[in-house]
Amino acid sequence: MKTILSFLALSFLSLNAYAFKFEIEYIDASSEDIARFEKLKNRVETIIQTDSFKDMVVRFNNYSCFNSENLPQGVRTTQDILNHLETAVAPIKIKFYQASPRVLGSTSGNTISFNTHNFKDRSDASVANTLFHETLHTIDYGHCGKNNIRLFPKIKRSAPYKLGDFIEKLY
């Protein structure tokens, strides 16, 4: 019996060792904002591991932002995203700023900036959508399109907005 429990514990640990994880550093964030983000990050990490999320990603047939000929080099299927997410660790910094109400968030390097105009008023599911999309940028996913491939040739993957929509739907 002890051997079976040890095997199950090791199996559980090995599954978690390959799960997508956030490592978040907060810049000038209030304790309320940090508490909200901790809840969001835990929920997003859980959603990514669900069969429902994986099925949605694999079945998503409009992968590129525009069309398949504009996919970055090295990306052939949505399975490529899942393979990468299984081992990804996202060391990110979260900060807040005020900008036009049209802007939800932006990413520069590993820093994700959230617009305070939108952060406070949006649902947790909606913020989780943006958090996941912007996090994909921090782990080298850009946007599809001829201009982005030409301007950012080192970006080998795309971060379709639809993946954030899946997170929001499953939240």
Side-chain angles (χ1 to χ4, degrees):
M1 181 68 164
K2 185 177 181 180
T3 304
I4 293 172
L5 290 176
S6 296
F7 174 77
L8 290 174
L10 286 174
S11 297
F12 179 76
L13 288 174
S14 67
L15 286 174
N16 284 335
Y18 294 105
F20 176 89
K21 293 289 178 199
F22 288 100
E23 291 178 356
I24 299 179
E25 175 186 335
Y26 297 94
I27 301 171
D28 298 327
S30 71
S31 57
E32 287 178 353
D33 293 340
I34 291 171
R36 185 176 186 197
F37 263 100
E38 287 298 309
K39 181 176 94 172
L40 293 170
K41 86 171 180 84
N42 291 336
R43 183 71 182 128
V44 170
E45 287 172 347
T46 300
I47 290 169
I48 291 169
Q49 298 307 310
T50 66
D51 289 339
S52 297
F53 178 78
K54 292 174 183 179
D55 186 56
M56 288 171 133
V57 172
V58 170
R59 290 178 184 270
F60 181 49
N61 62 5
N62 187 16
Y63 176 69
S64 89
C65 302
F66 302 101
N67 62 53
S68 61
E69 69 186 37
N70 291 332
L71 284 173
Q73 180 183 354
V75 174
R76 302 284 181 258
T77 69
T78 51
Q79 186 63 47
D80 293 341
I81 290 176
L82 290 179
N83 293 343
H84 185 238
L85 289 178
E86 286 178 3
T87 59
V89 175
I92 59 176
K93 296 177 182 178
I94 300 286
K95 72 177 191 175
F96 296 92
Y97 71 107
Q98 288 191 337
S100 161
R102 291 186 359 251
V103 178
L104 300 178
S106 62
T107 301
S108 177
N110 70 337
T111 301
I112 299 172
S113 299
F114 279 87
N115 184 351
T116 55
H117 285 298
N118 293 305
F119 178 73
K120 303 286 186 203
D121 296 332
R122 293 171 59 215
S123 70
D124 284 353
S126 178
V127 174
N129 176 334
T130 301
L131 173 63
F132 184 65
H133 175 83
E134 296 302 330
T135 298
L136 287 174
H137 291 312
T138 71
I139 56 175
D140 298 330
Y141 288 75
H143 287 289
C144 304
K146 290 179 182 174
N147 288 338
N148 285 326
I149 292 170
R150 188 176 68 247
L151 295 173
F152 306 105
K154 292 183 179 182
I155 295 173
K156 303 297 184 201
R157 304 174 197 98
S158 173
Y161 287 104
K162 194 67 172 173
L163 299 184
D165 293 344
F166 295 157
I167 294 290
E168 186 171 354
K169 182 175 182 177
L170 295 170
Y171 195 89

